[in-house]
């Protein structure tokens, strides 16, 4: 919950207290699941050709 609280501050610009997050998780878990499913459906339509992860380290 602490991590989610800090993420809310970072990404939304407002601090959502842990008690509120816990309430949402317990009382509105079904709504959260539906929102996540909707986001996943939207993200599956994002088109990309390829992705690259470069972990090259240069030494001096």
């Amino acid at each position: 919950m602490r991590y989610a609280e800090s993420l809310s501050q970072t990404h939304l610009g407002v601090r959502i207290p842990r008690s509120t997050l816990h309430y949402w998780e317990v009382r509105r878990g079904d709504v959260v699941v539906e929102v996540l499913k909707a986001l996943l459906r939207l993200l599956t339509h994002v088109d990309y050709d390829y992705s690259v992860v470069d972990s090259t380290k240069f030494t001096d």
Side-chain angles (χ1 to χ4, degrees):
M1 288 293 174
R2 289 176 203 238
Y3 182 65
E5 184 180 30
S6 68
L7 284 179
S8 72
Q9 179 68 37
T10 302
H11 295 289
L12 302 176
V14 294
R15 183 183 154 273
I16 301 175
R18 287 187 298 270
S19 59
T20 303
L21 294 171
H22 177 71
Y23 175 82
W24 289 347
E25 181 182 30
V26 171
R27 303 279 189 218
R28 302 293 179 204
D30 55 336
V31 174
V32 173
V33 168
E34 290 303 315
V35 168
L36 291 175
K37 285 180 181 179
L39 285 173
L40 182 60
R41 283 192 298 269
L42 290 172
L43 290 174
T44 57
H45 295 295
V46 173
D47 214 17
Y48 65 92
D49 294 331
Y50 62 91
S51 62
V52 175
V53 176
D54 185 8
S55 63
T56 305
K57 293 183 180 181
F58 295 99
T59 58
D60 291 338

